[in-house]
Amino acid sequence: MAEEDNHSKQVSRRKFLVRGGLGTIGVLAIGTYIFRNNIRRELLRMVNTLEMPYADNTDKPMIWFEVTSENTILLHSPKVEMGQGTFTGIAQMAADELSVSMDQIYVVHAASATGNVDSVATGGSTSIASLWQPLRELAALLREMLLEEAARKMNVAVNQLTIEDGVISGGGKSLTYAQTTEGVEEWKVPDKPVLKNLKEYKYVGKPIARVDLKAKVYGDPIFGMDVQMPGMLYGAVVRPTKIGASFISADTTDAENMPGVVKIISEDDFVGVVAHSMIEAENAKEAIKVTWEISNEINTGAIIEMMTVGNGKSTVIQKSGEALEVEDDFVSLEFRSPIGAHAQIEPNGVVASVEGDSAIIKISTQVIGITRKEVAKRLGFDVEKVNVVPTYLGGGFGRRLHTPHAVQAAVMSKAVGKPVKYFFTRKEEFQHDMFRPPTHHVVKGKLSTEGWLTDLEHHFVSGDVGNNSALIPGFLPPIIGADIGAIRGGFIQYTKVPNYRSVYWHVDLPFATSWWRSLGLLANTFAMESFIDEMALKAGKDAVDFRLQQIGDEVIDVRLKNVIKAAAEKANYSEEITNGRAMGFAASIDAGTPCAQVAEVSIVDNEIVVHKVTVSLDPGLAVNPDQIRAQCEGCVIMGLSAVLYEQMFIENGELLPTIYGPYQMALMKNAPKEIDVILLQGKDTPGAVGEPPLGPIGAAIANAVRRLTGERLAELPLKLPKTT
Amino acid sequence: MEISFTVNGTSQSVEVADENTPLLWVIRDVLDLKGTKFGCGKAACGACTLLVDGEAVRSCSYPVKFAIGKKITTIEGLGTQDNPHPVQQAWIDEVVPQCGYCQPGFMMATAALLNKVPNPTDDDIDENIINICRCGTYYRMRKAIHKAAKLRAESEMNISEKV
Ligand code: FES
Ligand code: FES
């Protein structure tokens, strides 16, 4: 897995304009970026490292910064904030390059009308990594422009000027940024801004508190669900409860006469109702009698049968040396992971306001650009006429990469001539999720007489993750031949093993599956690292040493070995069982970020209890170590929830359960009381953070259970055999 | 029908068509207090937790008629930036929220817990704080709950010293 630096992006073309704001002059710094490398190379990088590049449209002006009359900076973020802390990281980067204090910088979601929205998505753990270079360059550019202008206004040479907290001083004079922007007709734009030295940074690298902390502690209305617009009505859309149901017809007579109903909207592909309140809309929705055509009424068993290695189409994604032959004497283990739900607490929702030939869409979305295009297309509007205003997301996890509800709300708003708010019920969330696909893995290996692997193979099957997604250009899957989401974490990381290969099988599922935080990583690492552990036991070797000796010597390999050593040392990793507790070890690389974990586990009343998890992560340069720790803690707990409890099943074509509780998730009592995070820095630029720590958790827990019980749990969620 | 109660210290009268309307929707959509969240509508996640006469209530499943004449506290009334509730202060000190959506519900549940059990043990926390956080902030929340108990005890000591 080759690594490339982030310097492949640079400011290539930029324009600045000055615009009269309300009572003051605002500077709108407008910059555009393209990739220095051609698209092919960029795609290749994406495939190699499985990183999502920062991508924008290069033909439109974009607003990044505004200088306000209060001498604060508004930073329009092209990425959305869903808890991952991106707003805080980019505020730190911008504050440092702009020489302002943290409380002088305000981060807002860029609306699509500003032009500055990521045309791909927020996801893939690389918001900070991808913005590291371009954002700092833009901030430096603005700083230099302001310096030039202040020098002109004060008649002092630029090299005589210093900046502190947004005040430019020199020659006994000083001007705030706000004053500097006053009355400027034309800005001098430096050719290539000079970035500060990392050592000069005051905020980057520090555990700065989240910029959205107070809003979130005082309950400010910042989420999509909180949006209110004048005259707003409430919508609801009828959804089938069964997989593969297609809409035939609807009898809306009863619903039309229900209290509060404003209008029933019957389209070719959906029936919706608009009413004066959410409850009235929901009640009327229940009264609509829809005829669905049900294609089949499958059960979980059928899905498991489909999802079995050997079915579907295979692609070798990695290979070295020879393949194992049937007659070889090797160990083969099978692993499975179930259908997983996103279960983010804020339901999918939107407020759409369509007036004349334009629309405003306020929404929790990870795909601002796609939401915008879809709405424009359905309404037959010019894309420019649709302004998508992103809100804070009450959890993303990949669920908000799909926003057809924005289209439905827009259609309903147009039909009633008023803004319409519409969101999913929890049952709809569970039944119409874009699920984490179930997977099946066959892992094979053979040991030498000295107890080292001579062969290692990972064969796995998954439903769509990246394929069939609006995010992945349609031409890409055929070129790569594999689903770039499903294969995440599916590679062999023990490249000293002479013969290895990884083979991905693709099966089409009858229900929609997609990106679930960390994509294939959770299940792939569970399978691979469980197998490696079993082989270490078989070889009679220490689980840590067995790993270290078989990892290669590339840069990324060395980083992986370093996190492994650090985790083992910090956790005092031991193969012994102490006070009924055993340790389990696992490690993975995801999107260029290595992570190792040690889970301390005991069995209480035949239940798996995780007491402590030690996480060692090398995210490269840590822009905000505290938020990286928070992501590690969150990944450990979300991962623990997925591997110990969560599972959707299908009964007569119906996806179940439809509510929290029956869809069991980790609660406070299930979370480890100790999570110890160590951060290493194996490269000098920021790397991926928000997903990589989800890799090792499943195997780390399972490997501890193996030591406690002798039982190799090979199916998620991990369940101990019933005691009698 | 008209329903009267006190919300965050202010008397309110609202007109509802159905007295079984969940309190949550009256708070969010009639009174426009958006800090109390909708997560499931089935008393299964706790995002909608608020206080009714000091007790934690999952307002999505609490008919508004039960609130008649009672004192309701939502996150907006728990504390202010100038005078944060110990729970809010502890949440800030420990930098608990990630996406933040579940957080008001947890803070209200914690405030109610501390009213009953001023110095909760880990087991008390496990038994009483049973909301769901998808971002997995439980680890920091536990620390924040212990911290809030401490802050609360300190502020009570200050008050009693002053008296
Ligand atoms: S919304 Fe009330 S408990 Fe989930
Ligand atoms: S902080 Fe996101 S659900 Fe709790």
Side-chain angles (χ1 to χ4, degrees):
Chain A
M1 275 175 267
E3 265 188 280
E4 287 203 25
D5 61 19
N6 286 305
H7 301 276
S8 52
K9 302 141 209 165
Q10 67 153 358
V11 180
S12 68
R13 181 168 71 85
R14 47 189 181 263
K15 267 192 301 181
F16 288 83
L17 70 91
V18 180
R19 194 165 78 178
L22 294 169
T24 181
I25 302 286
V27 179
L28 305 182
I30 295 170
T32 55
Y33 289 86
I34 55 164
F35 301 116
R36 181 193 284 163
N37 301 325
N38 60 32
I39 290 183
R40 224 186 123 78
R41 173 127 180 252
E42 198 48 46
L43 284 177
L44 212 65
R45 191 177 77 91
M46 191 166 152
V47 174
N48 274 341
T49 64
L50 306 171
E51 280 182 27
M52 296 281 293
Y54 165 70
D56 59 46
N57 47 0
T58 50
D59 52 345
K60 296 282 178 330
M62 291 189 281
I63 301 173
W64 280 86
F65 298 109
E66 285 180 65
V67 180
T68 72
S69 54
E70 293 84 38
N71 207 34
T72 56
I73 306 281
L74 270 190
L75 164 54
H76 293 263
S77 171
K79 298 283 186 181
V80 296
E81 178 56 63
M82 45 195 175
Q84 83 280 36
T86 294
F87 273 20
T88 310
I90 63 175
Q92 290 170 262
M93 283 148 54
D96 270 332
E97 278 300 337
L98 279 169
S99 303
V100 298
S101 69
M102 281 303 288
D103 34 325
Q104 281 176 293
I105 198 149
Y106 291 92
V107 188
V108 294
H109 286 103
S112 62
T114 64
N116 187 20
V117 296
D118 195 298
S119 57
V120 178
T122 303
S125 294
T126 50
S127 291
I128 293 290
S130 66
L131 287 172
W132 172 246
Q133 195 65 14
L135 177 68
R136 289 183 311 136
E137 282 183 7
L138 261 184
L141 200 66
L142 180 57
R143 183 192 69 225
E144 289 185 10
M145 285 165 57
L146 288 160
L147 261 181
E148 287 271 355
E149 176 61 20
R152 198 187 61 79
K153 279 202 167 93
M154 298 194 284
N155 202 15
V156 179
V158 167
N159 60 14
Q160 303 292 303
L161 296 176
T162 57
I163 315 177
E164 176 107 35
D165 293 350
V167 180
I168 305 172
S169 317
K173 302 176 209 170
S174 68
L175 278 179
T176 65
Y177 280 174
Q179 290 165 332
T180 306
T181 64
E182 275 168 31
V184 184
E185 298 261 305
E186 206 176 314
W187 291 90
K188 248 182 102 179
V189 182
D191 265 353
K192 172 97 179 124
V194 181
L195 293 181
K196 290 184 183 176
N197 193 305
L198 276 184
K199 286 197 205 77
E200 292 173 71
Y201 285 164
K202 283 195 206 163
Y203 306 114
V204 167
K206 303 275 157 39
I208 304 285
R210 297 181 65 100
V211 293
D212 52 9
L213 181 57
K214 293 221 164 113
K216 288 177 175 176
V217 166
Y218 292 102
D220 292 357
I222 56 173
F223 299 99
M225 278 293 286
D226 302 338
V227 172
Q228 194 79 31
M229 286 180 89
M232 189 176 88
L233 298 171
Y234 294 81
V237 167
V238 187
R239 293 177 187 283
T241 55
K242 300 223 173 187
I243 291 171
S246 40
F247 177 72
I248 300 292
S249 63
D251 174 358
T252 59
T253 5
D254 292 352
E256 266 151 30
N257 299 315
M258 302 273 292
V261 170
V262 175
K263 193 167 184 162
I264 309 280
I265 291 118
S266 295
E267 293 280 310
D268 286 347
D269 54 346
F270 77 94
V271 183
V273 45
V274 177
H276 285 286
S277 74
M278 190 282 284
I279 293 180
E280 287 163 339
E282 283 299 320
N283 288 343
K285 179 179 91 178
E286 294 302 319
I288 296 173
K289 295 182 205 80
V290 177
T291 312
W292 304 101
E293 189 184 275
I294 315 280
S295 48
N296 62 27
E297 300 206 325
I298 49 161
N299 289 300
T300 313
I303 298 294
I304 292 179
E305 217 166 283
M306 289 169 74
M307 299 305 292
T308 295
V309 167
N311 288 344
K313 196 177 153 294
S314 74
T315 309
V316 177
I317 60 168
Q318 190 191 21
K319 72 170 175 183
S320 171
E322 300 301 313
L324 282 165
E325 303 287 342
V326 197
E327 58 274 14
D328 284 340
D329 172 28
F330 55 83
V331 178
S332 174
L333 294 180
E334 293 186 37
F335 300 88
R336 279 196 182 274
S337 77
I339 307 167
H342 288 87
Q344 82 292 342
I345 314 288
E346 182 195 21
N348 281 288
V350 55
V351 177
S353 175
V354 180
E355 257 185 83
D357 65 351
S358 63
I360 299 171
I361 308 292
K362 301 193 176 184
I363 184 170
S364 297
T365 177
Q366 291 177 251
V367 283
I368 305 160
I370 293 172
T371 305
R372 186 188 205 192
K373 276 185 220 142
E374 287 175 352
V375 170
K377 188 167 169 223
R378 178 64 173 254
L379 298 182
F381 288 5
D382 204 352
V383 173
E384 301 301 313
K385 295 285 190 181
V386 177
N387 187 18
V388 175
V389 183
T391 60
Y392 280 88
L393 278 61
F397 315 118
R399 177 62 186 93
R400 299 184 208 273
L401 296 166
H402 308 271
T403 59
H405 46 286
V407 173
Q408 293 165 337
V411 168
M412 292 192 281
S413 170
K414 190 168 177 226
V416 296
K418 293 247 170 67
V420 170
K421 181 176 196 165
Y422 146 52
F423 52 87
F424 282 39
T425 63
R426 186 49 59 184
K427 182 178 178 197
E428 290 168 336
E429 280 291 335
F430 275 110
Q431 295 202 316
H432 297 273
D433 195 358
M434 306 289 292
F435 297 94
R436 190 186 69 230
T439 61
H440 175 239
H441 312 251
V442 176
V443 195
K444 302 176 195 172
K446 199 172 150 185
L447 290 172
S448 68
T449 41
E450 292 79 35
W452 302 108
L453 285 161
T454 57
D455 298 79
L456 182 58
E457 297 188 4
H458 181 208
H459 303 255
F460 61 108
V461 59
S462 169
D464 288 335
V465 174
N467 290 355
N468 289 323
S469 151
L471 285 170
I472 306 289
F475 62 86
L476 195 52
I479 297 175
I480 308 170
D483 182 312
I484 68 164
I487 62 178
R488 241 164 107 157
F491 296 87
I492 307 287
Q493 63 196 19
Y494 301 98
T495 51
K496 279 231 171 112
V497 176
N499 305 299
Y500 61 84
R501 63 191 52 221
S502 182
V503 183
Y504 156 80
W505 295 79
H506 178 263
V507 166
D508 278 318
L509 288 166
F511 55 95
T513 56
S514 178
W515 303 44
W516 188 99
R517 192 182 192 178
S518 93
L519 321 185
L521 179 73
L522 181 92
N524 286 328
T525 311
F526 164 64
M528 287 300 299
E529 285 293 279
S530 294
F531 184 82
I532 289 295
D533 191 70
E534 201 53 45
M535 294 309 273
L537 287 168
K538 206 172 156 55
K541 293 196 171 16
D542 173 84
V544 173
D545 197 49
F546 188 70
R547 287 176 168 79
L548 288 175
Q549 298 302 326
Q550 302 185 86
I551 296 170
D553 298 308
E554 302 278 321
V555 176
I556 189 72
D557 297 327
V558 174
R559 291 174 61 203
L560 176 62
K561 285 191 263 193
N562 288 341
V563 296
I564 289 177
K565 286 181 214 156
E569 192 181 324
K570 191 74 202 297
N572 258 324
Y573 179 78
S574 145
E575 303 269 346
E576 303 295 309
I577 296 173
T578 321
N579 299 328
R581 286 193 195 184
M583 292 186 179
F585 198 94
S588 60
I589 303 169
D590 182 44
T593 295
C595 181
Q597 294 178 10
V598 180
E600 285 186 44
V601 176
S602 73
I603 310 283
V604 180
D605 297 337
N606 208 41
E607 294 281 337
I608 298 166
V609 179
V610 181
H611 300 274
K612 177 178 176 182
V613 178
T614 303
V615 181
S616 161
L617 187 82
D618 174 4
L621 185 142
V623 172
N624 188 325
D626 182 59
Q627 279 310 302
I628 296 177
R629 284 171 201 283
Q631 286 301 297
C632 289
E633 294 156 13
C635 279
V636 161
I637 294 169
M638 185 170 178
L640 174 150
S641 184
V643 304
L644 288 186
Y645 309 115
E646 297 178 29
Q647 162 175 43
M648 293 294 295
F649 47 91
I650 304 170
E651 239 175 64
N652 302 325
E654 206 174 338
L655 274 150
L656 298 169
T658 61
I659 187 70
Y660 297 119
Y663 188 79
Q664 198 189 341
M665 289 163 70
L667 299 178
M668 178 75 83
K669 66 174 180 198
N670 308 116
K673 297 228 168 39
E674 263 186 281
I675 300 177
D676 195 1
V677 178
I678 320 153
L679 301 179
L680 306 189
Q681 186 183 327
K683 62 169 191 167
D684 60 3
T685 52
V689 169
E691 296 168 301
L694 266 169
I697 186 70
I701 296 172
N703 295 344
V705 172
R706 168 71 171 81
R707 279 161 178 70
L708 283 168
T709 65
E711 199 81 44
R712 170 56 62 193
L713 301 185
E715 249 177 69
L716 299 182
L718 303 172
K719 292 281 172 251
L720 295 169
K722 295 246 176 330
T723 47
T724 39
Chain B
M1 67 179 290
E2 189 169 281
I3 293 205
S4 303
F5 41 55
T6 308
V7 180
N8 299 331
T10 309
S11 318
Q12 297 278 7
S13 284
V14 295
E15 219 10 78
V16 290
D18 180 354
E19 58 178 17
N20 289 315
T21 303
L23 176 60
L24 172 68
W25 299 112
V26 175
I27 294 288
R28 280 184 63 84
D29 289 346
V30 182
L31 300 174
D32 197 25
L33 292 168
K34 299 283 199 269
T36 309
K37 302 303 186 197
F38 168 79
C40 68
K42 298 263 193 255
C45 73
C48 62
T49 308
L50 42 66
L51 306 184
V52 177
D53 285 347
E55 295 268 350
V57 158
R58 291 189 166 178
S59 63
C60 68
S61 307
Y62 188 85
V64 66
K65 65 182 177 196
F66 294 154
I68 293 172
K70 297 204 171 138
K71 283 203 195 75
I72 296 162
T73 310
T74 68
I75 188 75
E76 291 90 345
L78 191 64
T80 59
Q81 298 238 11
D82 295 331
N83 188 21
H85 186 279
V87 171
Q88 288 168 312
Q89 187 58 52
W91 247 246
I92 288 170
D93 293 349
E94 297 295 334
V95 198
V96 175
Q98 288 191 24
C99 85
Y101 195 79
C102 70
Q103 301 289 336
F106 273 97
M107 285 185 276
M108 299 314 285
T110 302
L113 171 65
L114 297 183
N115 284 341
K116 274 198 253 171
V117 187
N119 195 11
T121 61
D122 277 340
D123 286 348
D124 293 330
I125 293 171
D126 288 347
E127 265 164 45
N128 289 281
I129 304 300
I130 51 172
N131 292 2
I132 298 175
C133 173
R134 185 41 146 176
C135 298
T137 64
Y138 301 122
Y139 173 68
R140 287 188 185 203
M141 271 187 207
R142 184 186 299 281
K143 291 204 273 183
I145 296 169
H146 287 304
K147 173 112 196 223
K150 229 176 104 205
L151 291 175
R152 191 172 172 278
E154 282 166 14
S155 74
E156 270 178 7
M157 231 153 69
N158 290 341
I159 293 165
S160 59
E161 273 166 19
K162 274 183 210 140
V163 175

